[in-house]
Amino acid sequence: MVWLGIDLGDARVGTALSDPELTFAHPAGNVQSYGDSFNAIEDVLNIIEDNSVSRVVIGLPLQLDGTEGKSAKKARRWGTNLVKRMKSLFDYGDWSLDFIPEVVWKDERLTTVTAHKQLLDADFSTRKHRPMVDQQSAVLILQSAIDDYKNDCKNN
């Protein structure tokens, strides 16, 4: 079982993958989105297929008060389009997996701030942060989802 974490951005979409045991999330790189995260869907589909991803965790950029603004609504549309695209490929026999991964959203408030802080703490110069922060944010989103899942399993 491998999960994929997604941090949507207009320049880059950060990705992270879990280990099969769902213990740790690790960076899996960025997908260039050229001004619109919807441009990255095909590349994300390839990551899902190549890694037999069973769950996709998309960061949901809620506002600080917890409500959904424009960015959160765009993230939900992106996820809905990803699901539609997977179902279409599956229905036409162009999908290499014998299942369609579950897509879920995870509150990502302040993950970019935390990612920048972690990169600073690791002695990366601030100039080098931009290409790394998106995938580090994806790691934080995915690790949070993994931790929540593990806690839910312990409590049930």
Side-chain angles (χ1 to χ4, degrees):
M1 177 180 332
V2 174
W3 290 6
L4 173 66
I6 301 283
D7 178 58
L8 296 172
D10 288 331
R12 288 170 299 277
V13 171
T15 64
L17 290 166
S18 74
D19 61 319
E21 294 78 29
L22 294 180
T23 306
F24 296 110
H26 61 275
N30 292 318
V31 174
Q32 293 302 314
S33 52
Y34 307 104
D36 187 352
S37 59
F38 287 87
N39 292 327
I41 286 180
E42 293 301 317
D43 289 331
V44 170
L45 290 168
N46 290 333
I47 293 169
I48 293 168
E49 285 186 297
D50 291 348
N51 295 281
S52 298
V53 169
S54 60
R55 178 179 281 183
V56 179
V57 182
I58 301 170
L60 188 64
L62 298 174
Q63 298 184 87
L64 288 178
D65 66 2
T67 60
E68 289 191 18
K70 184 178 173 184
S71 294
K73 289 175 183 167
K74 184 176 181 181
R76 287 203 186 271
R77 282 193 314 274
W78 192 93
T80 299
N81 278 293
L82 180 69
V83 169
K84 285 179 184 176
R85 188 76 178 105
M86 286 188 291
K87 285 180 179 177
S88 173
L89 291 168
F90 185 85
D91 290 344
Y92 287 104
D94 291 333
W95 188 244
S96 66
L97 304 177
D98 59 355
F99 60 90
I100 296 172
E102 177 183 17
V103 173
V104 298
W105 286 265
K106 181 71 181 151
D107 181 359
E108 68 157 55
R109 281 178 284 182
L110 303 178
T111 55
T112 302
V113 172
T114 303
H116 275 294
K117 182 176 178 348
Q118 288 177 342
L119 292 169
L120 277 174
D121 290 348
D123 289 329
F124 286 99
S125 72
T126 52
R127 272 188 331 194
K128 294 181 181 177
H129 281 202
R130 199 39 50 209
M132 297 174 71
V133 75
D134 300 302
Q135 58 187 311
Q136 186 61 28
S137 293
V139 166
L140 292 168
I141 291 163
L142 182 55
Q143 189 65 54
S144 177
I146 290 169
D147 293 346
D148 288 351
Y149 174 77
K150 296 273 184 166
N151 287 333
D152 287 348
C153 289
K154 285 180 188 175
N155 294 331
N156 290 330

